[in-house]
Amino acid sequence: MALRAGFIGLGAIGRPMARHVAKKFPTTVWNRTAARAESFARETGAAVAGSVAEVIAGCDVLITCLPTSPDVRKVVEVESLPWRQGQLPVDATSGDPANSRALAGWLERKGVGFVDAPVSGGTSGAEAGTLTVMLGGEEPWISRAREVVGAFAGKIAHVGPVGAGDRSEEHTSELQSPYV
Protein backbone atom coordinates (compact mmCIF):
# COMPACT_ATOMS: atom_id res chain seq x y z
CA MET A 1 0.00 0.00 0.00
CA ALA A 2 1.30 3.45 -0.91
CA LEU A 3 2.25 5.81 1.87
CA ARG A 4 -0.47 8.43 2.39
CA ALA A 5 0.69 11.96 3.14
CA GLY A 6 -1.04 14.78 4.98
CA PHE A 7 0.10 18.38 4.75
CA ILE A 8 -0.88 21.29 7.00
CA GLY A 9 0.29 24.81 6.14
CA LEU A 10 0.10 25.98 2.53
CA GLY A 11 1.96 29.26 2.87
CA ALA A 12 4.80 30.62 0.73
CA ILE A 13 7.12 27.70 1.53
CA GLY A 14 4.56 25.03 2.40
CA ARG A 15 2.53 25.23 -0.80
CA PRO A 16 5.41 24.36 -3.17
CA MET A 17 6.65 21.70 -0.74
CA ALA A 18 3.17 20.16 -0.67
CA ARG A 19 3.02 20.30 -4.48
CA HIS A 20 6.14 18.09 -4.66
CA VAL A 21 4.72 15.70 -2.05
CA ALA A 22 1.42 15.44 -3.95
CA LYS A 23 3.30 14.41 -7.12
CA LYS A 24 4.70 11.35 -5.32
CA PHE A 25 2.11 10.34 -2.71
CA PRO A 26 -1.66 10.41 -2.28
CA THR A 27 -1.96 13.66 -0.30
CA THR A 28 -4.63 15.32 1.81
CA VAL A 29 -4.20 18.97 2.78
CA TRP A 30 -5.66 21.33 5.34
CA ASN A 31 -5.10 25.05 5.77
CA ARG A 32 -6.66 27.60 8.12
CA THR A 33 -7.83 29.41 5.01
CA ALA A 34 -10.00 26.79 3.32
CA ALA A 35 -9.95 28.61 -0.05
CA ARG A 36 -6.16 28.17 -0.17
CA ALA A 37 -6.51 24.40 0.36
CA GLU A 38 -9.28 24.17 -2.24
CA SER A 39 -7.19 26.08 -4.79
CA PHE A 40 -4.24 23.79 -4.12
CA ALA A 41 -6.44 20.71 -4.62
CA ARG A 42 -7.71 22.00 -7.98
CA GLU A 43 -4.10 22.51 -9.13
CA THR A 44 -2.71 19.20 -7.89
CA GLY A 45 -5.49 16.68 -7.45
CA ALA A 46 -4.83 16.47 -3.71
CA ALA A 47 -7.74 15.88 -1.38
CA VAL A 48 -8.93 18.64 0.94
CA ALA A 49 -9.72 17.82 4.55
CA GLY A 50 -12.44 19.70 6.37
CA SER A 51 -10.48 19.56 9.63
CA VAL A 52 -7.13 18.69 11.16
CA ALA A 53 -8.71 15.48 12.49
CA GLU A 54 -9.66 14.46 8.96
CA VAL A 55 -6.08 14.96 7.71
CA ILE A 56 -4.68 12.92 10.59
CA ALA A 57 -7.24 10.13 10.16
CA GLY A 58 -6.26 9.71 6.51
CA CYS A 59 -2.47 9.86 6.53
CA ASP A 60 0.56 7.82 7.49
CA VAL A 61 2.97 10.78 7.51
CA LEU A 62 1.83 14.32 8.34
CA ILE A 63 3.98 17.28 7.32
CA THR A 64 3.41 20.57 9.10
CA CYS A 65 4.81 23.87 7.84
CA LEU A 66 3.52 26.59 10.14
CA PRO A 67 4.94 29.90 11.38
CA THR A 68 6.07 28.75 14.87
CA SER A 69 6.41 25.68 17.09
CA PRO A 70 3.55 26.86 19.37
CA ASP A 71 1.35 27.00 16.24
CA VAL A 72 2.25 23.39 15.48
CA ARG A 73 1.49 22.31 19.03
CA LYS A 74 -1.92 24.07 18.96
CA VAL A 75 -2.80 22.17 15.79
CA VAL A 76 -1.53 18.65 16.57
CA GLU A 77 -1.29 18.37 20.37
CA VAL A 78 -5.01 17.92 20.91
CA GLU A 79 -6.25 14.95 22.90
CA SER A 80 -9.32 14.39 20.72
CA LEU A 81 -7.37 13.98 17.47
CA PRO A 82 -7.37 10.47 15.97
CA TRP A 83 -3.64 9.71 16.22
CA ARG A 84 -2.80 6.06 15.50
CA GLN A 85 0.20 4.08 16.60
CA GLY A 86 2.91 4.24 13.94
CA GLN A 87 1.94 7.58 12.40
CA LEU A 88 4.69 10.13 11.86
CA PRO A 89 4.38 13.92 12.03
CA VAL A 90 7.31 15.66 10.31
CA ASP A 91 7.51 19.31 11.34
CA ALA A 92 9.08 21.52 8.66
CA THR A 93 8.52 24.65 10.76
CA SER A 94 11.62 26.63 11.68
CA GLY A 95 10.91 25.64 15.23
CA ASP A 96 12.30 25.67 18.69
CA PRO A 97 14.00 22.56 20.14
CA ALA A 98 12.18 22.62 23.51
CA ASN A 99 8.74 22.73 21.89
CA SER A 100 9.73 19.97 19.45
CA ARG A 101 10.93 17.74 22.31
CA ALA A 102 7.74 18.41 24.31
CA LEU A 103 5.53 17.57 21.32
CA ALA A 104 7.58 14.44 20.58
CA GLY A 105 7.09 13.27 24.17
CA TRP A 106 3.35 13.87 24.03
CA LEU A 107 3.07 11.96 20.72
CA GLU A 108 5.31 9.13 21.93
CA ARG A 109 2.77 8.32 24.65
CA LYS A 110 0.31 7.62 21.82
CA GLY A 111 2.80 5.42 19.91
CA VAL A 112 3.29 8.17 17.33
CA GLY A 113 6.74 9.26 16.10
CA PHE A 114 8.02 12.76 15.52
CA VAL A 115 10.79 14.32 13.44
CA ASP A 116 11.67 18.01 13.38
CA ALA A 117 12.67 18.90 9.83
CA PRO A 118 13.23 22.62 9.31
CA VAL A 119 14.14 23.66 5.79
CA SER A 120 16.61 26.06 4.26
CA GLY A 121 16.53 27.42 0.74
CA GLY A 122 13.62 29.83 0.70
CA THR A 123 10.71 29.92 -1.70
CA SER A 124 12.95 29.36 -4.73
CA GLY A 125 14.32 26.17 -3.17
CA ALA A 126 10.81 25.05 -2.27
CA GLU A 127 9.59 25.69 -5.84
CA ALA A 128 12.57 23.80 -7.33
CA GLY A 129 12.38 20.94 -4.83
CA THR A 130 15.97 21.57 -3.73
CA LEU A 131 15.56 22.56 -0.08
CA THR A 132 18.12 21.50 2.50
CA VAL A 133 16.33 19.68 5.32
CA MET A 134 17.82 19.02 8.77
CA LEU A 135 16.17 16.02 10.45
CA GLY A 136 16.06 15.67 14.22
CA GLY A 137 14.78 12.34 15.47
CA GLU A 138 15.43 8.65 15.94
CA GLU A 139 15.26 5.59 13.73
CA PRO A 140 12.99 4.18 12.38
CA TRP A 141 11.24 7.54 12.14
CA ILE A 142 14.14 9.15 10.26
CA SER A 143 13.95 6.56 7.46
CA ARG A 144 10.22 7.18 7.02
CA ALA A 145 10.73 10.95 7.11
CA ARG A 146 13.44 10.75 4.41
CA GLU A 147 11.00 8.99 2.09
CA VAL A 148 8.54 11.90 2.14
CA VAL A 149 10.99 14.78 2.65
CA GLY A 150 12.90 13.56 -0.40
CA ALA A 151 10.03 14.86 -2.53
CA PHE A 152 11.07 18.47 -1.87
CA ALA A 153 14.70 18.22 -0.75
CA GLY A 154 17.99 18.47 -2.57
CA LYS A 155 19.93 17.61 0.59
CA ILE A 156 18.77 15.80 3.71
CA ALA A 157 20.92 15.62 6.85
CA HIS A 158 20.09 13.65 9.99
CA VAL A 159 21.67 15.91 12.60
CA GLY A 160 20.73 14.16 15.86
CA PRO A 161 17.79 13.53 18.19
CA VAL A 162 14.50 15.46 18.23
CA GLY A 163 15.26 19.17 18.50
CA ALA A 164 18.62 18.90 16.71
CA GLY A 165 17.09 19.84 13.37
CA ASP A 166 15.67 23.00 14.90
CA ARG A 167 19.08 23.86 16.35
CA SER A 168 20.87 23.15 13.05
CA GLU A 169 18.52 25.18 10.88
CA GLU A 170 20.48 28.36 11.57
CA HIS A 171 23.78 26.70 10.68
CA THR A 172 23.16 24.93 7.37
CA SER A 173 26.53 25.98 5.97
CA GLU A 174 28.18 24.18 8.90
CA LEU A 175 26.42 20.82 8.39
CA GLN A 176 29.16 18.34 9.18
CA SER A 177 27.07 15.85 11.04
CA PRO A 178 28.00 12.22 11.67
CA TYR A 179 24.31 11.48 11.02
CA VAL A 180 24.29 12.63 7.35
Side-chain angles (χ1 to χ4, degrees):
M1 182 166 89
L3 181 130
R4 297 167 302 153
F7 206 102
I8 295 176
L10 299 172
I13 300 279
R15 187 179 186 97
M17 289 168 54
R19 188 176 301 115
H20 290 290
V21 171
K23 288 177 186 175
K24 294 191 174 197
F25 304 98
T27 303
T28 301
V29 299
W30 181 84
N31 199 77
R32 284 182 297 206
T33 307
R36 186 176 287 250
E38 291 160 6
S39 167
F40 180 84
R42 283 191 301 275
E43 294 170 13
T44 65
V48 176
S51 66
V52 171
E54 190 178 323
V55 174
I56 291 169
C59 74
D60 303 305
V61 175
L62 173 71
I63 300 167
T64 53
C65 189
L66 299 172
T68 69
S69 291
D71 292 328
V72 174
R73 289 183 74 181
K74 282 183 212 169
V75 170
V76 302
E77 193 176 341
V78 177
E79 202 58 50
S80 62
L81 291 174
W83 289 110
R84 300 182 311 281
Q85 188 167 10
Q87 280 181 298
L88 176 63
V90 175
D91 182 22
T93 301
S94 291
D96 126 73
N99 270 295
S100 289
R101 286 189 295 271
L103 180 55
W106 185 85
L107 289 163
E108 184 177 35
R109 291 188 290 281
K110 298 180 171 305
V112 175
F114 181 82
V115 171
D116 58 296
V119 301
S120 179
T123 54
S124 60
E127 291 285 346
T130 59
L131 292 168
T132 296
V133 184
M134 290 68 60
L135 301 179
E138 306 299 331
E139 289 295 345
W141 306 117
I142 291 296
S143 294
R144 288 189 65 208
R146 281 182 187 274
E147 184 178 355
V148 176
V149 167
F152 54 80
K155 180 177 182 179
I156 303 170
H158 178 204
V159 295
V162 169
D166 292 327
R167 282 194 320 267
S168 297
E169 192 262 336
E170 298 173 356
H171 308 290
T172 56
S173 63
E174 303 167 20
L175 280 180
Q176 297 298 320
S177 170
Y179 298 95
V180 176

